[in-house]
Amino acid sequence: MRQRIITGVIAGAGFIGFTIAGGWLYTGLLILLALIGTTEYVRMNGVAWSHPSALLGYAGVLLFVLPWSEWGIVIPSVLAIVWMLAFLLLALTVVTKNKTTIDGAALMLLGALYVGYGFAAMREVRQIEDHGLLWTFIAFGCIWASDIGAYFMGRAFGKTKLWPSISPNKTVEGALGGVLFSLIVSAVFALSVPEVISLPKALVIGLVAAVAGQFGDLIQSAYKRVRNIKDTGALLPGHGGVLDRCDSWLIVFPLLVLTELLPV
């Protein structure tokens, strides 16, 4: 626990610093995390990083997460990227005479979308022209509050198992505590900057972030059970890998962007 706390404080402080700095520091960090996360995803699926399907997965992630518009480069829409990547991966099954199976192609497509667009959404939110840093901290604040609330409320009051076959330690009481903490944090933001965000909208963001964030955690837990692994990586001692730490982020940010709850 001591190692977990020390690592969490150092990594958290560093991440917040990069987020405040913005620009290439933040973008570069997200690109690095996306590439490490993709490596974890490829490895947990038993595929070598140099395999053609994995290389296509990396390419898809980079198409999503790199700031092409800042370089004056126009790239296709998200839908077009997904379709082209799907076509190339399916074509690979033919070229390799099914050494790359359709299941393997589907896994790499899913990974590129899950990891690539997840981190791309974080970059898009930080780059919002008006108050990008504030919107980023609202989203992260709600996610982190949900994590903290679920942990401590679960330990204090947890009795009813939430989803024991997926994550045996999570409880309904903890999940509700996470929602409550997220709503409180979102309300604090709204009351602090009412000229930027209204209380009703903030509460919706808090609710969505808490529920979607907990699903993001459960999704990663379910996948690790299928692959029979404890952690996706060992980047952060006591915390696991990038996908272990960013599982909520990868679901919450795209959802807030796609629902237009954040003004991207």
Side-chain angles (χ1 to χ4, degrees):
M1 179 58 72
R2 181 182 178 185
Q3 182 188 53
R4 184 181 177 89
I5 292 173
I6 293 173
T7 303
V9 169
I10 294 174
F15 184 81
I16 290 173
F18 275 76
T19 305
I20 293 172
W24 261 105
L25 282 175
Y26 183 66
T27 297
L29 177 60
L30 292 182
I31 293 169
L32 178 61
L33 291 175
L35 291 174
I36 295 173
T38 304
T39 300
E40 292 175 357
Y41 181 87
V42 168
R43 185 175 59 241
M44 69 192 289
N45 282 292
V47 180
W49 71 267
S50 57
H51 190 276
S53 64
L55 293 177
L56 284 173
Y58 279 108
V61 167
L62 290 176
L63 277 173
F64 282 122
V65 79
L66 287 177
W68 300 103
S69 60
E70 294 183 15
W71 301 332
I73 300 174
V74 178
I75 64 169
S77 66
V78 171
L79 177 59
I81 293 173
V82 171
W83 190 91
M84 284 301 300
L85 186 58
F87 166 68
L88 291 173
L89 285 165
L90 290 172
L92 188 61
T93 66
V94 176
V95 173
T96 63
K97 299 179 181 178
N98 271 334
K99 289 181 180 179
T100 296
T101 66
I102 192 168
D103 293 342
L107 282 172
M108 290 304 109
L109 177 64
L110 177 63
L113 181 60
Y114 171 58
V115 178
Y117 186 66
F119 282 108
M122 296 176 214
R123 177 177 55 79
E124 288 177 13
V125 172
R126 182 61 181 86
Q127 291 177 335
I128 294 174
E129 191 168 334
D130 294 321
H131 309 293
L133 180 60
L134 176 63
W135 289 111
T136 298
F137 275 135
I138 289 174
F140 275 126
C142 290
I143 293 170
W144 293 335
S146 176
D147 288 343
I148 293 169
Y151 178 77
F152 286 105
M153 294 295 281
R155 287 193 59 137
F157 306 107
K159 293 182 179 179
T160 310
K161 296 297 183 182
L162 178 65
W163 225 306
S165 62
I166 298 298
S167 186
N169 294 326
K170 288 183 171 56
T171 63
V172 172
E173 294 81 4
L176 293 175
V179 172
L180 177 62
F181 273 50
S182 181
L183 290 174
I184 291 172
V185 166
S186 66
V188 169
F189 273 106
L191 295 174
S192 300
V193 285
E195 69 279 6
V196 177
I197 183 171
S198 66
L199 181 58
K201 182 172 183 177
L203 292 176
V204 173
I205 289 175
L207 179 61
V208 170
V211 175
Q214 292 184 45
F215 260 102
D217 191 335
L218 289 168
I219 287 168
Q220 196 57 237
S221 295
Y223 203 27
K224 287 188 290 187
R225 281 191 171 274
V226 169
R227 294 298 182 234
N228 196 30
I229 58 174
K230 183 179 183 294
D231 296 317
T232 61
L235 179 67
L236 301 173
H239 289 266
V242 167
L243 297 184
D244 292 309
R245 291 302 91 207
C246 302
D247 49 11
S248 298
W249 312 0
L250 293 171
I251 297 298
V252 171
F253 272 86
L255 188 58
L256 292 178
V257 169
L258 293 172
T259 57
E260 299 184 351
L261 285 170
L262 298 181
V264 174

